[in-house]
Amino acid sequence: MDYYTANTFKIISIVALILFVLCLVILVAKKCNKKFIILTTLITIACGVSVFYFQHVEDNPKLSTTTDHKERYDFPESSSSEESVSESSSEISSSASSDNTSSAKTEASSSAENSSSTKAKSSQEELADKLPKNVEYGYIDKNDFTKETMYHSKEFDYVYVSTGDHDIIKTVKLDFKDLPLASLDEALEYIQDWTSRDTQLQSKVDDRTYIYHSASLNLNYEIKLVINSQGEITRVSIFPDDSLI
């Protein structure tokens, strides 16, 4: 017996129970034949038992003998659905695997390109990568300059730079013609601003040419001076060491 059959019989039993209870009340009230009263009583009890039985069947679907629990609630068969889910899962897995493979290939290709690019870097680029921007041997930050014949610093009006390959600074010119410097010692701080903070005089080539050296960077700089008739420095030019050009 399935859920719906049990529910139908329960309703019929409830209706019968109500009717026979009413009949029993009428028979007792009219003091009818005891046989009718007893018969009606038995039928009423039977109807009551039927109600409890069919209610029990409804509440306990495992007692049903012809329909399974899924059919009680009219659930559709799940095999095709499960198969569809399985196929969908398989497709997603396959797609994910394909995407992962493609991603791995792309990363490998990118890595190979980066590796190739790194190997192709010149010694000047490798050096510039290690230095801050806007110093001799380093990369120029063009946002800090205005392009004229040379790059003119926006912050320091006396500073001009020129670049070589890969936007690496090749020459720094410090123009002091409006406020000349009295000596080379006075020029040192300006030279250090555009080379390295530990740059010091290493040797003198002539009265207007000097070699400076940075111990921390192990770099040499050629410094050329322009001197006016009063012996004052009106320009300091910083050039790279010839061996690193």
Side-chain angles (χ1 to χ4, degrees):
M1 182 181 296
D2 60 23
Y3 171 79
Y4 294 106
T5 302
N7 183 262
T8 300
F9 279 110
K10 183 188 77 171
I11 293 172
I12 293 172
S13 297
I14 291 173
V15 173
L17 176 63
I18 293 171
L19 291 176
F20 281 104
V21 167
L22 290 175
C23 289
L24 180 61
V25 170
I26 293 170
L27 291 174
V28 171
K30 291 186 177 183
K31 298 181 180 179
C32 294
N33 192 313
K34 288 184 178 181
K35 290 183 181 180
F36 290 112
I37 295 175
I38 292 172
L39 179 61
T40 303
T41 301
L42 292 175
I43 294 173
T44 302
I45 293 172
C47 289
V49 172
S50 296
V51 171
F52 284 110
Y53 171 75
F54 292 122
Q55 181 64 48
H56 187 57
V57 171
E58 276 191 278
D59 293 338
N60 297 275
K62 291 182 179 179
L63 295 179
S64 178
T65 57
T66 61
T67 307
D68 133 323
H69 185 46
K70 289 185 294 182
E71 291 175 329
R72 171 185 170 188
Y73 294 101
D74 284 336
F75 286 149
E77 291 295 329
S78 63
S79 59
S80 61
S81 177
E82 291 175 354
E83 183 178 343
S84 175
V85 171
S86 176
E87 290 176 356
S88 176
S89 176
S90 176
E91 289 176 1
I92 293 173
S93 176
S94 175
S95 176
S97 176
S98 176
D99 289 344
N100 289 338
T101 302
S102 176
S103 177
K105 289 181 179 179
T106 301
E107 289 178 1
S109 175
S110 176
S111 177
E113 288 177 1
N114 290 338
S115 176
S116 175
S117 176
T118 302
K119 290 180 181 178
K121 280 189 176 183
S122 66
S123 58
Q124 294 179 40
E125 290 177 282
E126 291 176 352
L127 175 58
D129 287 338
K130 300 175 184 177
L131 300 176
K133 291 184 177 181
N134 298 338
V135 298
E136 184 69 34
Y137 297 114
Y139 294 111
I140 186 174
D141 186 344
K142 293 183 179 180
N143 293 324
D144 297 332
F145 294 84
T146 301
K147 184 69 170 76
E148 299 175 1
T149 304
M150 299 177 71
Y151 287 99
H152 187 190
S153 174
K154 295 177 181 178
E155 183 177 2
F156 306 102
D157 188 56
Y158 61 90
V159 178
Y160 298 82
V161 304
S162 64
T163 59
D165 296 336
H166 314 295
D167 288 330
I168 294 174
I169 294 177
K170 188 174 182 180
T171 305
V172 179
K173 290 188 178 182
L174 310 177
D175 188 349
F176 302 109
K177 63 177 180 292
D178 294 333
L179 293 170
L181 304 178
S183 66
L184 192 58
D185 289 339
E186 191 176 344
L188 178 60
E189 183 177 350
Y190 295 100
I191 293 171
Q192 290 177 337
D193 285 342
W194 298 91
T195 55
S196 173
R197 298 313 302 173
D198 68 339
T199 296
Q200 295 293 330
L201 176 63
Q202 185 179 64
S203 61
K204 177 179 178 180
V205 178
D206 55 45
D207 289 342
R208 298 173 185 270
T209 306
Y210 300 83
I211 302 299
Y212 280 70
H213 178 74
S214 167
S216 63
L217 301 176
N218 193 29
L219 292 174
N220 290 334
Y221 307 90
E222 183 179 343
I223 307 299
K224 288 185 177 291
L225 307 178
V226 174
I227 300 175
N228 63 18
S229 57
Q230 286 78 38
E232 298 171 321
I233 299 172
T234 58
R235 184 192 299 166
V236 176
S237 298
I238 306 171
F239 298 96
D241 183 20
D242 289 343
S243 64
L244 294 174
I245 297 176

